[in-house]
Amino acid sequence: MLPGYHLLKDTVSDTIVYQGFHNLDVCFKTRREHFRIGKANFNYLKQINMIETQQTISLIIGCGHLGSRVLSELESKGIQAWATSRKQVNAELIKNPETHLLLDINNRETWKNLLPLTTAEIDVYFLLPPSQIELACLQDFVTLLGIWKIRRLVMSSSTVVYGSQSRLVDADSEVNIDTDRAERQYSIEQNIRSSGIELKIVRLAGLYASDRIIGKQAILDGQTLSGKGDSWLNLIHTTDAANLLIEVMASETASSIEMGSDGNPVRRANYYGDLADHYSREPPVFRNEETERGEGRRCDNSITVERTAWRAAITDYRKGWLI
């Protein structure tokens, strides 16, 4: 634990919650700098009162395409969740704006918005895409998480860490870091694992939904597609991915690493052919570049299905395009 972190935690719980001071400056150290949290205000105290009525709260870090689905599914199950996003506009996705927090983990100034949560036991869904994470900031943010009362952290990752070679992979397969993208994703996994928090990683295949159809724009524009038509494509509908994350959070039998896919790898030629038919466009044309990757990985979700109560509800991407 870094010097000063205990002061942040104790001062918030003792001074603000029990004595009700409205003007508290809190300061703590990271490895690189002193960082001033800021002043508590009425809204802050109101948020703390909301939190104290709940034994365990759910927090979604990254309420974007996937996070908004997780939020919706939690709310449908009667579970109130707090959610963060980098921009205020994302509050439109959240029914209760009082439980929406602005957070950019690359901007330490926004970390102060998490102060109300330091008094509660928390289930954390860490759903930020790698493109939104600066590794230089991540380690300090992970250290900050380490002082919270986090019951469990479930992180969304990607099957890209299994590599691009031709093979059948499941949640227990060894990683094969063969691209820069895979290296970055795996580095983020390891950074968060270093927190010491109970961590469950869910490696997801290609996410899609009616508002995010993979390859749609390329087909509409009549583009020549990179790669080969006989390569494999692995998919999971965003709603199924959200429910898997929620199930892993609740499960006592889930492993530390699980995989999310619909269990039906599809040849890219078949997928893009169906997509062209769906939008009444010409059949797709592939560049068919020569590569060493072969046909690519095929994702098998059977081990994850056995270890959890989760099942993919949408196994036909053509139906998933409408949901």
Side-chain angles (χ1 to χ4, degrees):
M1 183 179 297
L2 299 178
Y5 275 3
H6 68 282
L7 178 63
L8 168 67
K9 195 172 183 179
D10 293 343
T11 302
V12 169
S13 60
D14 294 341
T15 305
I16 290 186
V17 175
Y18 299 119
Q19 296 182 19
F21 290 150
H22 286 224
N23 291 311
L24 176 68
D25 279 336
V26 183
C27 191
F28 67 94
K29 288 183 178 179
T30 68
R31 292 181 179 179
R32 299 177 179 81
E33 63 184 306
H34 288 273
F35 175 67
R36 183 162 296 280
I37 288 290
K39 291 186 177 181
N41 53 35
F42 177 76
N43 188 57
Y44 171 81
L45 298 173
K46 185 177 181 181
Q47 289 173 326
I48 286 181
N49 289 334
M50 291 175 62
I51 291 170
E52 286 189 313
T53 65
Q54 305 173 60
Q55 291 183 340
T56 301
I57 65 171
S58 294
L59 171 66
I60 301 168
I61 297 179
C63 197
H65 175 74
L66 177 58
S68 61
R69 293 287 179 121
V70 172
L71 178 63
S72 177
E73 293 300 315
L74 286 172
E75 290 178 339
S76 72
K77 301 176 190 300
I79 301 172
Q80 184 181 42
W82 293 61
T84 76
S85 62
R86 294 186 302 163
K87 299 178 181 179
Q88 187 67 47
V89 68
N90 285 37
E92 296 175 3
L93 301 172
I94 299 169
K95 296 178 181 179
N96 185 356
E98 291 179 344
T99 59
H100 173 249
L101 303 171
L102 287 175
L103 174 69
D104 179 352
I105 70 167
N106 305 319
N107 178 3
R108 289 176 171 83
E109 180 63 26
T110 67
W111 295 3
K112 65 185 178 183
N113 297 329
L114 298 176
L115 268 173
L117 306 180
T118 59
T119 63
E121 184 178 64
I122 313 173
D123 288 340
V124 177
Y125 296 89
F126 190 90
L127 309 181
L128 292 175
S131 62
Q132 293 182 12
I133 299 173
E134 293 179 10
L135 296 180
C137 294
L138 179 61
Q139 186 60 58
D140 285 340
F141 185 77
V142 167
T143 304
L144 177 62
L145 291 181
I147 71 167
W148 293 3
K149 294 181 287 187
I150 294 179
R151 187 184 70 89
R152 179 174 291 171
L153 188 151
V154 172
M155 171 193 175
S156 64
S157 184
S158 169
T159 58
V160 71
V161 299
Y162 294 115
S164 304
Q165 297 302 313
S166 298
R167 62 172 180 150
L168 185 67
V169 298
D170 59 30
D172 293 346
S173 296
E174 293 292 326
V175 299
N176 177 25
I177 308 303
D178 60 0
T179 64
D180 290 343
R181 181 181 166 218
E183 182 177 11
R184 180 177 179 80
Q185 184 70 74
Y186 191 64
S187 177
I188 292 170
E189 287 186 9
Q190 299 310 301
N191 263 280
I192 296 179
R193 190 179 296 282
S194 70
S195 68
I197 298 167
E198 181 183 343
L199 173 65
K200 305 286 187 181
I201 297 172
V202 181
R203 293 170 176 163
L204 299 171
L207 287 168
Y208 77 99
S210 60
D211 59 343
R212 181 175 168 170
I213 297 176
I214 296 172
K216 173 182 176 179
Q217 199 58 49
I219 288 296
L220 292 178
D221 293 344
Q223 298 176 17
T224 299
L225 304 174
S226 62
K228 294 185 175 183
D230 61 359
S231 297
W232 293 104
L233 184 62
N234 299 278
L235 301 167
I236 183 170
H237 194 277
T238 306
T239 299
D240 279 332
N243 282 316
L244 175 57
L245 291 163
I246 294 170
E247 174 58 34
V248 169
M249 179 67 79
S251 175
E252 296 304 324
T253 58
S255 179
S256 60
I257 296 176
E258 296 295 355
M259 174 193 284
S261 75
D262 63 12
N264 291 313
V266 58
R267 300 281 188 182
R268 295 178 74 237
N270 293 337
Y271 174 86
Y272 283 99
D274 288 338
L275 190 59
D277 289 344
H278 183 75
Y279 287 108
S280 301
R281 293 297 196 270
E282 292 296 317
V285 177
F286 295 87
R287 294 199 183 104
N288 290 318
E289 305 101 330
E290 289 298 325
T291 67
E292 298 180 358
R293 62 174 288 176
E295 296 178 348
R297 64 184 176 273
R298 290 170 292 134
C299 293
D300 176 7
N301 66 13
S302 58
I303 288 180
T304 291
V305 169
E306 290 174 8
R307 291 192 292 228
T308 69
W310 175 83
R311 302 289 186 278
I314 304 169
T315 56
D316 184 339
Y317 55 82
R318 291 163 296 190
K319 294 179 180 179
W321 289 337
L322 306 176
I323 302 173

